[in-house]
Every structure is written in C-alpha cells, then in structure tokens.
Amino acid sequence: MDGCHCKIRRGLDHTSKQSCEELGQMETYPVEKKIVMTGMRKDKDLLRDKVLLLPSHDDTEQLCNSFSSFFGGKIDNVRNQLDNESALAPNNEPPSNPSSTLQEFRPAFVEEVEKLITTMPNKSCVLDKIPAWLFKEAHKELAPSLADIINSSLANHDFPSSLKQAYVTPLIKKASLDKEEMKNYRPVSNIPIISRHIEKIVSSRILQHLACNNLHTNFQSAYKKHHSTEFALLRVANDILIHIDNKKVCSVDSTGLKRCFRHHRP
C-alpha cells in the first residue's frame, strides 16, 4: 500500500437526508456517503499536507465500517432527540396566509453558470470525472450543459442519483485528543463539482428570497452576507460594554452544542 496516497472507500449502509433549507423545498432524498481512509492527500485545503491521524487498526475495511456506524449513529440520535422535543413542544402552526412564499426557483442562465465555474476553487473530488482545473478551462463549452442539468433538477424537484455521493474523510478535531476515540473525529465531506454548482444556485435563490422579503432576523450572523462569527462576537461584547458603562446589570446566557453536526429532520 502506497504510504503517500493510500485510500480505501467503502459504501455506507446508513443514509441521511438533505434539508429543505439546503435544497430549497425540494423533495428530500437519501445521500449515499463513503468513508475514505487516506494516508496523505494532496488536497492542501483539507489536510494541509499532514498525515491523517486514525485509530490503531489492522483491518482498514473494519475501520471504515466502524466510522460509518459511529457517524450514522450520532445523526440518528440527534434526529430522535429532535422528534422527542417536537412532541413535547407546543403546536405552533405556521400562518395560513404567509406574507411571502417561495413556490419555485428561477432558472439558471448560462452566463450565471459560467461565472460560477470560473470563480470556484481549484478543489476537485475523487468522484469527479473531470478535474476542477479542466472544468474551468472548458467553462464555455460545459456551461450550457451544466445549466440544463441544474434547471432540470430545479424544475423536477429532484436531485440526480449519481450526485448523491460525498467523499468523506474523518478528521481528528484536535491533534492533542486521543486518536483512539472516535468521538474525537468529525466527518469532512467533499462533494462532486456538479453537486456544488446545484447547491450554489439553490442557495443564491433562497438567500435572495430571504433578503428581498426581509426574512432575516436582526441579529443573525450565520449564512448572511457581510456577517460572520466575529461580527456576532463583537456585537455581544459591545452590548456588554455599553451596559457596563451605563451601570446596568448584564448577564450572558450561552448554550453549547455537544456535537458539531449538521443534522436535518427528514
């Protein structure tokens, strides 16, 4: 086995579902993922040319299956907790006549797709048939076909089955943590180029709808242009200082999430 770039891919039995927020009220669908064991990857953005820390193992196939079961089990547990909390929560029905609804997505134009291709990072997925650099070089020729794929997906409320895969790498959260404990790892997914472009188009439509109808909350920083975690932190720190200057009592109630997983209800 090549120590510089060795990998083993195994299919996951567990399936998850994308959220309506990500796919813009499209029908939910199972996402087939693959666990990837990599000795050292050439992807500098993902692993910074460092050797991937993994638990001690004699059988890489067994390790893949163990990570698959562990990550899938965590998502199942979070979903079950959400279902239980929803059952206990008061029934807050949405308004019968909302002020604005998103019924369908505006089609993608070829020029828009061309701009997306040329501005995307030079990061490919091993599931891609064409490397990112070549995709960008041939953007004029590929943009019309890609626009047709995107628009067909939007019009039919369907995501192509061939694009429901992700190249998943288990990364340890901190180098100082025990590498034998799977709870110290997080899954990092790399999806194919075409999948990324469909997500970008859908995301742009949803964000435009939220902005045009003033649906963002006043203090939202996540997934909001020109906002970040630093912006939110500065806002909180500034509010605290103002209250202290005005000789007012100030307290902070913070909530920590135990698992940094993107979980979605089916």
Side-chain angles (χ1 to χ4, degrees), residues 10-71:
R10 301 296 301 172
L12 292 184
D13 295 330
H14 176 78
T15 57
S16 60
K17 293 187 177 182
Q18 295 282 20
S19 69
C20 290
E21 287 79 10
E22 280 189 309
L23 299 176
Q25 299 178 348
M26 289 184 182
E27 297 177 357
T28 56
Y29 57 86
V31 179
E32 303 166 5
K33 291 189 176 181
K34 296 179 181 294
I35 288 291
V36 182
M37 301 292 105
T38 310
M40 178 179 289
R41 291 188 54 191
K42 297 179 181 179
D43 191 343
K44 295 182 181 180
D45 293 333
L46 185 59
L47 296 181
R48 310 293 184 187
D49 280 342
K50 293 183 180 179
V51 176
L52 184 65
L53 295 176
L54 293 172
S56 301
H57 60 282
D58 297 322
D59 187 346
T60 50
E61 179 177 350
Q62 183 179 357
L63 182 61
C64 287
N65 292 332
S66 297
F67 268 117
S68 170
S69 300
F70 178 74
F71 290 144

Side-chain angles (χ1 to χ4, degrees), residues 77-90 263 265:
N77 289 337
V78 172
R79 283 178 172 169
N80 291 333
Q81 291 176 7
L82 289 176
D83 289 336
N84 294 335
E85 292 174 1
S86 298
L88 298 175
H263 51 273
R265 298 187 62 193

Side-chain angles (χ1 to χ4, degrees), residues 181-230:
E181 294 287 340
M182 288 192 175
K183 66 180 182 179
N184 294 330
Y185 291 82
R186 61 187 178 91
V188 176
S189 300
N190 189 10
I191 61 177
I193 293 175
I194 297 179
S195 302
R196 273 184 272 158
H197 282 79
I198 297 177
E199 285 189 351
K200 285 284 188 182
I201 291 294
V202 172
S203 176
S204 67
R205 303 307 190 257
I206 295 176
L207 292 177
Q208 184 182 35
H209 174 77
L210 295 175
C212 292
N213 294 280
N214 196 28
L215 296 177
H216 284 297
T217 60
N218 294 332
F219 302 110
Q220 179 178 342
S221 290
Y223 311 107
K224 192 175 181 181
K225 194 173 183 180
H226 304 309
H227 290 69
S228 64
T229 53
E230 290 85 356

